[in-house]
Amino acid sequence: MRAWVLVLFLALGVWAQENPASPPPDLPPEVFAIARELRCPVCQGESAAESNSGVAAEMRRLIAEMLQEGKTEEEIKAFFVDRYGEWILYEPPRRGVTLWVWVLPVLGLVLLGLGLLAYFRPKKPLPPELLEEAERRLKEPPA
C-alpha cells in the first residue's frame, strides 16, 4: 500500500512539472524556432533557445526585434553568421569542406551494408567430388 502511495506522489510530481520545451510567454514561438537553429556562443552543445545564459537571452531578444522589423529567417541567420561565423549554425552549410560532414556518414553506411551483404551472402556448396575426396583423406590413417 505504501509503495502505491509513493508511486502516486511521484507521478503527480512529474505531471505537475512545467513542460521545458514550451517557450516562455514573453516571446513568440517563432523566436524560439529560429533560436533552435543557432548555437549559444557561451554554452557547450546548447542552442540559443535552450540556453539560460545572458548571451542566449540577448540573441533571442535580437531575433524578436528583427522579426518585428519584418526581417526573414534567412536575414536573421545571415546577421548571426556575419557576427559569429558559420560556427553559429547548428546545421553546417552543405558546400565546400562541410559537404563531407553530410556525405561521409551516408557513404560509410552504404559501405557497411555492402560489407555485411558480402559476408552473410550464401556460399556456393562444394562440388561432391571434392567432399568425397576430403572424407576419404580423413578416413585414411596418417602416414
Side-chain angles (χ1 to χ4, degrees):
M1 179 68 180
R2 289 182 192 169
W4 286 108
V5 172
L6 178 64
V7 169
L8 177 66
F9 278 120
L10 290 175
L12 286 175
V14 170
W15 179 60
Q17 285 183 353
E18 182 182 333
N19 183 3
S22 64
D26 59 341
L27 293 174
E30 295 85 23
V31 170
F32 285 87
I34 296 171
R36 270 187 219 97
E37 298 178 24
L38 300 172
R39 292 182 196 276
C40 173
V42 176
C43 304
Q44 195 81 1
E46 284 188 332
S47 71
E50 299 166 339
S51 175
N52 291 327
S53 72
V55 174
E58 182 65 19
M59 286 175 72
R60 292 190 296 264
R61 189 189 61 73
L62 281 171
I63 292 169
E65 285 179 7
M66 289 180 189
L67 284 173
Q68 285 178 349
E69 293 171 2
K71 293 192 177 183
T72 64
E73 182 178 339
E74 289 77 27
E75 290 173 331
I76 294 170
K77 286 181 186 178
F79 169 78
F80 285 105
V81 167
D82 288 342
R83 193 173 204 180
Y84 295 103
E86 287 187 343
W87 168 87
I88 199 77
L89 298 174
Y90 244 105
E91 275 192 22
R94 294 178 176 105
R95 66 177 190 281
V97 175
T98 58
L99 180 64
W100 289 105
V101 172
W102 295 97
V103 172
L104 285 179
V106 174
L107 185 63
L109 286 174
V110 168
L111 290 175
L112 177 68
L114 289 174
L116 289 174
L117 186 67
Y119 182 76
F120 289 113
R121 183 179 53 206
K123 308 291 188 265
K124 294 180 182 177
L126 294 174
E129 305 86 32
L130 192 59
L131 290 174
E132 289 170 5
E133 175 69 23
E135 284 179 16
R136 185 184 58 76
R137 286 186 179 179
L138 284 174
K139 289 180 183 175
E140 287 180 359

